[in-house]
Amino acid sequence: MIDARRFGRFAEPARLVLVALRDGPRTVALLFDDVRSLDGPVGPGTLYAAIARLERRGLIEAARNGEGRPGYRLGEAGTAPGGTQG
Amino acid sequence: MKALVRLYPRAWRDRYEAEVIDLLDQRRPSFRDALDLVVGAVDAHLHPQVGSAVIPWTWRLPGLAVLAVGATWIAATVAVYASGSSSLSGTFLGLSLLAMTVGLPGDYAIRRGRAILAVVGLIAAGVVVAQIAPYPVAVVIAVATVVLFLAGALALAAVRAEIGSTARWALVVGTTIVPALALIPFALGLLAIDPPVLTIRWLLLPYGAAWILLGLRLVVRGSQSIVDPPTGVETALVTAPGRSA
């Protein structure tokens, strides 16, 4: 699902974002923590480079929790078979 | 730390700035995170994911030219420090000043670079005043001739870039004449670098570094170059709905 050529060095962080969202929507802060727990010291710049690429391709989409905090959930393309398989 | 988000393209900020600031509020960022934001900003300029911005490669040319200016200027400065010789370093400085005049297309000068060009002019004027006094009138005439040539070329560049009014592109020419004035005596080796330039050498390295920073900014942002078609290009660079770059 993630084209390594298009995602470049952000392919792995992008894959981990998809993995983190597989269990349900996350606020940005929780997503940040999850990705860091999976891949070490991923910074906010790397996280958002991955998010922008995923969102552009419909793999994730923006969401807000009950408190209005921004977050993300899997998009239609991301929930398709193989969508989080990297 | 939040100020680093301003390094990102406008379209990107329109979409993600609030989220990133919210994240930085919730998770105390480290120095490494700050560096990561800077790298992410460079990526966002080079590989825009938001909006439809596709920057033609020719828009990188002005930035590359300005980068060359800064590198040449620093090389000249190092030559001055290392050898104290005026001839070689004078040529470097001359080439650098020439590149300054041709590296800035008219549209850039008008839209983004007036203050910078004014600083360039002031510094170069100081160099000229320090150097030109003892030399004969013939040199001044030769300089003036070349300046007219350069000014004409710049005026053409300004016209190609469709600078709106005569007064505006006259400003382009005016703000670049002084650097051009400093060019010829150095390039021809007619004027010595020492000692006047050495007395202001503390200005030289930061000056070159400033041009390199300007060049980097131009490279990542892109700027219409004088080889681009003169009309309709910049307005086509839409970076977000309802907003143009």
Side-chain angles (χ1 to χ4, degrees), chain B residues 114-160:
Chain B
R114 293 184 200 181
I116 293 168
L117 283 174
V119 171
V120 171
L122 286 173
I123 294 175
V127 175
V128 171
V129 169
Q131 294 287 341
I132 212 165
Y135 290 88
V137 174
V139 174
V140 178
I141 293 174
V143 169
T145 302
V146 179
V147 165
L148 285 175
F149 174 79
L150 288 173
L154 286 164
L156 286 176
V159 169
R160 281 206 69 193

Side-chain angles (χ1 to χ4, degrees), chain B residues 21-234:
Chain B
I21 288 177
D22 188 62
L23 174 63
L24 296 177
D25 282 337
Q26 294 184 67
R27 299 290 184 270
R28 182 182 177 84
S30 64
F31 177 73
R32 188 170 181 168
D33 289 336
L35 292 179
D36 190 66
L37 276 173
V38 173
V39 173
V42 173
D43 169 72
H45 282 286
L46 294 178
H47 307 106
Q49 304 295 319
V50 183
S52 57
V54 177
I55 298 177
W57 69 270
T58 52
W59 285 42
R60 312 288 187 197
L61 292 177
L64 292 173
V66 172
L67 272 177
V69 166
T72 306
W73 184 273
I74 286 179
T77 305
V78 170
V80 169
Y81 277 121
S83 68
S85 167
S86 62
S87 58
L88 180 62
S89 50
T91 301
F92 269 123
L93 286 175
L95 289 173
S96 185
L97 288 165
L98 174 62
M100 287 174 195
T101 60
V102 299
L104 295 174
D107 72 314
Y108 177 79
I110 284 299
R111 291 172 191 159
R112 305 182 186 99
R114 293 184 200 181
I116 293 168
L117 283 174
V119 171
V120 171
L122 286 173
I123 294 175
V127 175
V128 171
V129 169
Q131 294 287 341
I132 212 165
Y135 290 88
V137 174
V139 174
V140 178
I141 293 174
V143 169
T145 302
V146 179
V147 165
L148 285 175
F149 174 79
L150 288 173
L154 286 164
L156 286 176
V159 169
R160 281 206 69 193
E162 293 219 326
I163 306 302
S165 67
T166 302
R168 281 188 163 188
W169 56 264
L171 176 66
V172 175
V173 175
T175 51
T176 50
I177 277 178
V178 177
L181 272 170
L183 160 66
I184 301 306
F186 290 137
L188 298 181
L190 295 175
L191 299 181
I193 295 295
D194 310 344
V197 167
L198 289 178
T199 64
I200 59 167
R201 61 184 180 274
W202 56 272
L203 280 176
L204 299 182
L205 280 176
Y207 185 55
W211 277 89
I212 285 182
L213 289 175
L214 174 64
L216 287 172
R217 178 185 166 96
L218 270 177
V219 167
V220 297
R221 284 195 162 194
S223 175
Q224 189 175 20
S225 73
I226 59 174
V227 302
D228 285 311
T231 58
V233 173
E234 184 151 26

Side-chain angles (χ1 to χ4, degrees), chain A residues 6 9-10 28-30 32-33 36 41-49 51-53 55-57 62 64 69-72, chain B residues 8 12 15-16 18-20 22-24 26-30 32-34 36-37 39-41 43 47-52:
Chain A
R6 291 183 180 276
R9 68 186 188 87
F10 301 107
V28 172
L30 282 178
F32 188 55
D33 294 341
R36 280 194 162 185
V42 171
T46 298
L47 177 69
Y48 268 89
I51 284 176
R53 285 164 169 78
E55 189 176 28
R56 182 179 188 182
R57 290 161 179 80
R64 289 194 177 272
R69 290 275 187 202
Y72 289 91
Chain B
Y8 282 77
W12 190 99
R15 170 63 188 87
Y16 295 116
E19 289 184 18
V20 174
D22 188 62
L23 174 63
L24 296 177
Q26 294 184 67
R27 299 290 184 270
R28 182 182 177 84
S30 64
R32 188 170 181 168
D33 289 336
D36 190 66
L37 276 173
V39 173
D43 169 72
H47 307 106
Q49 304 295 319
V50 183
S52 57

